[in-house]
Amino acid sequence: MPGEFDLIHWIRAQQTTSDLVKLAAGDDLAILKWPSNDLLLVGCDQVLDGVHFDSTVHPARAIGRKAMNRNLSDCAAMACLPAAALVSVALPKGRDIEYAKELYLGIKEAGDKFDCAIVGGETGTWDGKLALTISILGRSDGIAPVPRGGAKPGNFLYVTGPLGGSLLGRHMTFEPRVALARQLAKGNWRLTSMIDLSDGLSRDLRQICNASGLGAWVNATAVPIHEDAIEMRRDGRAPLEHALHDGEDYELLFTSPDPDVTPAILIGAIVSDPGTWLVMKDRSRVPLEPKGWEHTF
Amino acid sequence: MPGEFDLIHWIRAQQTTSDLVKLAAGDDLAILKWPSNDLLLVGCDQVLDGVHFDSTVHPARAIGRKAMNRNLSDCAAMACLPAAALVSVALPKGRDIEYAKELYLGIKEAGDKFDCAIVGGETGTWDGKLALTISILGRSDGIAPVPRGGAKPGNFLYVTGPLGGSLLGRHMTFEPRVALARQLAKGNWRLTSMIDLSDGLSRDLRQICNASGLGAWVNATAVPIHEDAIEMRRDGRAPLEHALHDGEDYELLFTSPDPDVTPAILIGAIVSDPGTWLVMKDRSRVPLEPKGWEHTF
């Protein structure tokens, strides 16, 4: 890419410092000193043109923000504190350096809100479509990570906000629930399992159930429905269907033995029998099949 | 992708354990406990179809191996011990689950040689070309990391093996110099700077010089020339040209005040004046311009 070295210099000049970082991006690897009391949580997530965004519609900065926010949402799902990120960009030939900077600024904007330093990365150009991969490092910082597999029979099932219809725009603009996750996990309640809703409630609930070896009942009348899900009724699917199966809400789904987790909405319970069920208004039960769908633009 | 969940289960079943890993891939994030005496070194590297490999020519397993080995080579460049990796694969629609498994087996084969556990990752399908991104976590484990920027005037310049012509095949099959790097950095010699040769000697030497604020002389008759570089003479460029400018040798280039670093080949010296120069047999000096080139298949 013409100007690739300009871009590298520009990115280095943007870098925020952090107590953890002994040597930031610019060498073969960045050097961090991890606090000895902290667990290190790591994961990665990619966003692909035509799957997670549409580069002909969404501005570069919004694409960068989404790529970072999906990783920050994974931190929320474990109740850990985002600490550092690594960024890889596969840039289509023909996109200029200004476009790459906008991607990077979106990533940085999202990271800065959580003091998450970008400590490394690379930009390569190719005769292919735009892809961004971000790896995230989180710290436990005094709060035990909340895994998916810790739910117990009789636990209550909670969600942190209204669901459905994110395709109308929220899938690009959501705010990762890091602060809320930390508040919940260190608060007056016991959290036994947690996940962020990226693939849709019906699918992500299965992840908790499978990891915990249990089942769940969801109260159909209790599921909070986002106004976007009502708006999307136009497509012939009921708002509840959107709330149950649409992906990319990025709210948190978690379980607790406590019946009064007030910052969240109680929607059901964990049971010993495997399988996930929807309990209707008339108390009948219907299977809650995972129907989370993939975006195709 | 049909069978995506099968793939995830298959990958989990392949996972090697490690003392560092408290909770491996399968949750939102993996949980590691970093040894309190160890620095944490992190970086990422992507390989793209048509740039770093050609999916119509190279088998999936070789592509996976290369993706991992490039990251392991970054560990070598810092003299750290590979510890854990995160893998993202953007898979073209139409590639089946067996292809994805072959990619993964290549990655795992390369990692297993260095006890580097794969602790997380994702595979997404798209209407795009094959891209692999790997992030690597390395540990100092008793040896101080060797940065790029520590060279001093009067230091000797070394390379660990013959250079040039990697496009004939070595760019897919190289072995990362992790063990040699560790031996050098903990041995009887002082290493002041190091880099792995991915972009070509002329370019990567500039990285050391720029990071150290210095210049270098390279002795033209001392540069070790790989037999592949001689073979590639057919393209009209002299073997020395190939050795100086071809990329993807993945040998180590390093500096030391010691004149007797016997496991490596002495090729020049670091000087106070900026710029990189080639010293010819007749003792004349010509500028050594960075001409490292990018693969285009």
Side-chain angles (χ1 to χ4, degrees):
Chain A
M1 176 169 66
E4 185 184 351
F5 285 92
D6 289 346
L7 180 63
I8 291 171
H9 285 135
W10 182 86
I11 289 176
R12 282 182 205 167
Q14 305 293 315
Q15 283 181 351
T16 44
T17 54
S18 155
D19 288 347
L20 298 175
V21 182
K22 300 300 164 201
L23 178 68
D27 216 300
D28 294 287
L29 300 173
I31 304 178
L32 312 184
K33 177 66 191 157
W34 209 250
S36 56
N37 295 326
D38 277 4
L39 294 170
L40 164 62
L41 292 95
V42 292
C44 62
D45 189 85
Q46 63 189 350
V47 294
L48 307 173
D49 196 1
V51 181
H52 306 95
F53 63 87
D54 178 347
S55 66
T56 66
V57 172
H58 301 121
R61 198 174 292 213
I63 295 167
R65 257 195 320 254
K66 177 172 185 175
M68 187 61 163
N69 278 332
R70 278 170 60 98
N71 281 276
L72 296 169
S73 186
D74 283 330
C75 288
M78 303 292 283
C80 73
L81 214 53
L86 301 158
V87 176
S88 282
V89 178
L91 196 69
K93 282 177 188 166
R95 291 288 192 186
D96 62 12
I97 199 169
E98 292 307 317
Y99 189 86
K101 286 183 181 177
E102 283 293 310
L103 288 170
Y104 181 83
L105 284 173
I107 293 166
K108 187 174 184 308
E109 266 178 30
D112 280 353
K113 286 192 186 176
F114 299 92
D115 294 324
C116 182
I118 299 171
V119 296
E122 272 200 281
T123 303
T125 54
W126 70 331
D127 186 19
K129 302 205 291 182
L130 180 62
L132 284 76
T133 304
I134 298 185
S135 295
I136 193 103
L137 288 76
R139 354 174 354 200
S140 51
D141 195 31
I143 295 177
V146 183
R148 292 182 183 174
K152 300 278 178 264
N155 277 184
F156 298 96
L157 184 67
Y158 292 93
V159 69
T160 55
L163 309 179
S166 73
L167 252 193
L168 290 186
R170 269 157 48 236
H171 75 106
M172 295 298 293
T173 59
F174 67 93
E175 293 286 336
R177 301 292 184 222
V178 174
L180 180 54
R182 300 279 293 173
Q183 182 201 338
L184 288 165
K186 79 172 169 195
N188 300 315
W189 311 284
R190 295 161 288 173
L191 266 58
T192 51
S193 72
M194 188 153 61
I195 193 170
D196 65 321
L197 290 172
S198 54
D199 293 338
L201 175 61
S202 60
R203 251 185 213 285
D204 291 324
L205 176 57
R206 283 278 174 110
Q207 299 281 0
I208 283 183
C209 289
N210 291 343
S212 303
L214 298 168
W217 294 8
V218 172
N219 191 337
T221 58
V223 175
I225 292 173
H226 197 280
E227 58 189 21
D228 288 341
I230 298 170
E231 173 100 7
M232 280 189 76
R233 201 168 31 181
R234 292 174 303 185
D235 71 1
R237 293 164 64 231
L240 179 62
E241 287 289 303
H242 282 288
L244 292 172
H245 306 298
D246 286 2
E248 305 217 54
D249 294 301
Y250 301 105
E251 295 292 347
L252 300 170
L253 179 71
F254 67 90
T255 58
S256 170
D258 299 320
D260 60 343
V261 186
T262 43
I265 301 144
L266 180 64
I267 62 164
I270 298 295
V271 295
S272 303
D273 291 341
T276 47
W277 300 85
L278 197 60
V279 182
M280 309 306 287
K281 201 174 178 180
D282 64 4
R283 296 197 168 184
S284 65
R285 284 196 302 167
V286 296
L288 177 58
E289 297 294 342
K291 279 195 265 182
W293 45 297
E294 290 177 16
H295 287 170
T296 45
F297 290 96
Chain B
M1 176 169 66
E4 184 185 350
F5 286 93
D6 289 347
L7 179 63
I8 291 171
H9 285 134
W10 181 86
I11 289 176
R12 282 183 205 166
Q14 305 293 316
Q15 283 182 352
T16 45
T17 54
S18 156
D19 288 347
L20 297 176
V21 182
K22 300 301 163 199
L23 178 70
D27 216 299
D28 294 287
L29 300 173
I31 304 178
L32 312 183
K33 177 67 192 155
W34 209 250
S36 56
N37 294 326
D38 277 5
L39 293 170
L40 164 62
L41 292 95
V42 291
C44 62
D45 190 85
Q46 63 188 349
V47 293
L48 306 173
D49 195 1
V51 181
H52 305 95
F53 63 87
D54 179 347
S55 66
T56 66
V57 171
H58 302 120
R61 199 173 292 215
I63 294 168
R65 257 194 320 254
K66 176 170 185 175
M68 187 62 162
N69 278 333
R70 278 170 59 97
N71 279 277
L72 295 168
S73 187
D74 283 329
C75 288
M78 302 293 283
C80 72
L81 214 53
L86 301 159
V87 176
S88 283
V89 178
L91 196 69
K93 282 177 188 167
R95 291 290 191 186
D96 62 12
I97 199 167
E98 292 307 316
Y99 189 86
K101 285 182 181 177
E102 282 294 309
L103 287 170
Y104 182 84
L105 284 173
I107 293 167
K108 187 173 183 310
E109 266 177 30
D112 280 353
K113 286 192 186 176
F114 298 93
D115 294 322
C116 182
I118 299 170
V119 296
E122 45 139 24
T123 303
T125 54
W126 70 331
D127 185 21
K129 301 205 291 183
L130 180 61
L132 284 76
T133 304
I134 298 185
S135 295
I136 194 103
L137 286 76
R139 9 184 329 212
S140 51
D141 195 32
I143 295 177
V146 183
R148 292 181 183 174
K152 300 278 177 267
N155 277 183
F156 298 96
L157 183 67
Y158 293 92
V159 70
T160 55
L163 308 180
S166 72
L167 252 192
L168 291 185
R170 271 159 46 238
H171 75 106
M172 295 299 293
T173 59
F174 65 94
E175 293 286 337
R177 302 291 184 222
V178 174
L180 180 54
R182 300 278 294 174
Q183 181 201 339
L184 288 165
K186 78 173 171 197
N188 300 316
W189 311 284
R190 295 161 287 173
L191 266 57
T192 50
S193 72
M194 187 151 64
I195 193 170
D196 65 321
L197 289 171
S198 54
D199 293 337
L201 175 62
S202 60
R203 250 185 213 284
D204 290 324
L205 176 56
R206 282 279 173 111
Q207 298 281 0
I208 284 184
C209 289
N210 291 343
S212 305
L214 298 167
W217 294 7
V218 172
N219 191 336
T221 58
V223 175
I225 292 173
H226 197 280
E227 58 190 22
D228 289 341
I230 298 169
E231 174 99 8
M232 280 189 74
R233 198 168 34 183
R234 292 174 302 185
D235 72 0
R237 293 163 62 231
L240 178 62
E241 288 289 301
H242 283 287
L244 293 172
H245 306 298
D246 286 3
E248 305 217 51
D249 294 301
Y250 301 105
E251 295 291 348
L252 300 169
L253 179 71
F254 67 91
T255 57
S256 170
D258 300 319
D260 60 343
V261 186
T262 44
I265 301 143
L266 179 64
I267 62 164
I270 299 295
V271 295
S272 304
D273 291 340
T276 48
W277 301 85
L278 197 60
V279 182
M280 309 306 289
K281 201 173 179 181
D282 63 4
R283 298 199 167 183
S284 64
R285 284 196 304 167
V286 296
L288 178 57
E289 296 294 340
K291 277 194 267 181
W293 44 298
E294 290 175 16
H295 289 169
T296 44
F297 289 97

